[in-house]
Amino acid sequence: MSTIVVFGAGGTAGSRVVSEAVDRGHRVIAAVRRPEATSYLPAGVRTVTGDATSERSVRELAPDADALVVAIGGGERELWRNAAENLVTTLRGIPAAPRIIHLGGGSTLLTPGGTRILDEPDFPAEYRESALGQADALDYYRTAADGVSWTYVSPPPLEFHPGARTGHYRTGTDQPVTDAQGRSVLTYEDLAVAIIDEIEQPRHPNARFTAAY
């Protein structure tokens, strides 16, 4: 059994990571900005006020954890880079620091031509700031996260939605995983499976991976 802290545990992705971890017998700490609004989380989850961009929050929660899952959203572009930088710099000062599992953006994946999906001319303008923020976080992990253990997880860039948990998926690295029809599809539930699988059996240390059916 691992102790897993989930930042953003009240969100669409974070709540599913919490449920998947609890179902597998892990101890879960849900770190959210408003604990009183998360009564829908599974029984047995410890809910605390926490913020991935706060050094104090990370220092308080990290010593007892095996993994810190970052599933935050809804902020300005700087949010994701700030979270990544805070986690890395804070964890460097903690002995036997937990691993970072950062749920990032699918638009940071690459096209067959090698360009980022977020840089395509038809990329929706309303998602650009958050996509750039997640790209900033990935760049930071890759260039400045020495001394800590991290994994960045990208969902499919388009067809990613709540649905059924099948327990099945395939993984890739920097390009979307596609099926025979060229589609890259995954539910939040099965991305949660992939994240907890990665915590239980690390296969992508200090790297990014993506998953789809």
Side-chain angles (χ1 to χ4, degrees):
M1 180 179 71
S2 296
T3 297
I4 302 170
V5 175
V6 181
F7 288 102
T12 304
S15 61
R16 284 155 172 86
V17 172
V18 168
S19 294
E20 181 68 23
V22 169
D23 287 347
R24 297 208 210 174
H26 296 291
R27 177 172 176 255
V28 180
I29 301 172
V32 296
R33 292 176 183 253
R34 296 177 56 233
E36 69 277 6
T38 56
S39 59
Y40 53 87
L41 293 178
V45 173
R46 176 186 164 203
T47 304
V48 300
T49 301
D51 181 353
T53 65
S54 164
E55 179 182 351
R56 179 178 177 179
S57 284
V58 175
R59 284 199 178 278
E60 289 177 348
L61 295 170
D64 295 328
D66 298 294
L68 304 179
V69 177
V70 183
I72 59 176
E76 301 297 326
R77 173 176 176 175
E78 293 79 14
L79 172 68
W80 294 277
R81 164 64 186 254
N82 289 346
E85 186 169 356
N86 178 60
L87 287 160
V88 168
T89 56
T90 303
L91 292 182
R92 284 191 183 123
I94 297 175
R99 183 179 176 200
I100 302 166
I101 306 291
H102 185 115
L103 175 53
S107 59
T108 60
L109 294 167
L110 305 180
T111 68
T115 59
R116 299 181 304 184
I117 290 169
L118 67 89
D119 294 324
E120 291 295 286
D122 59 349
F123 188 80
E126 62 267 31
Y127 301 127
R128 186 162 179 77
E129 285 300 295
S130 59
L132 287 169
Q134 289 283 23
D136 293 341
L138 177 58
D139 288 343
Y140 179 80
Y141 286 120
R142 284 174 163 170
T143 60
D146 54 295
V148 302
S149 179
W150 61 273
T151 296
Y152 186 103
V153 187
S154 287
L158 293 175
E159 296 188 71
F160 177 50
H161 45 72
R165 179 195 186 281
T166 71
H168 301 289
Y169 59 88
R170 294 177 295 134
T171 61
T173 53
D174 287 326
Q175 291 187 324
V177 174
T178 57
D179 61 17
Q181 288 72 46
R183 297 174 62 197
S184 183
V185 184
L186 193 69
T187 63
Y188 278 89
E189 287 75 6
D190 280 328
L191 186 69
V193 174
I195 287 172
I196 302 304
D197 283 350
E198 181 67 25
I199 292 172
E200 292 180 347
Q201 297 183 337
R203 293 188 175 92
H204 303 89
N206 300 334
R208 183 254 291 276
F209 79 93
T210 185
Y213 298 125

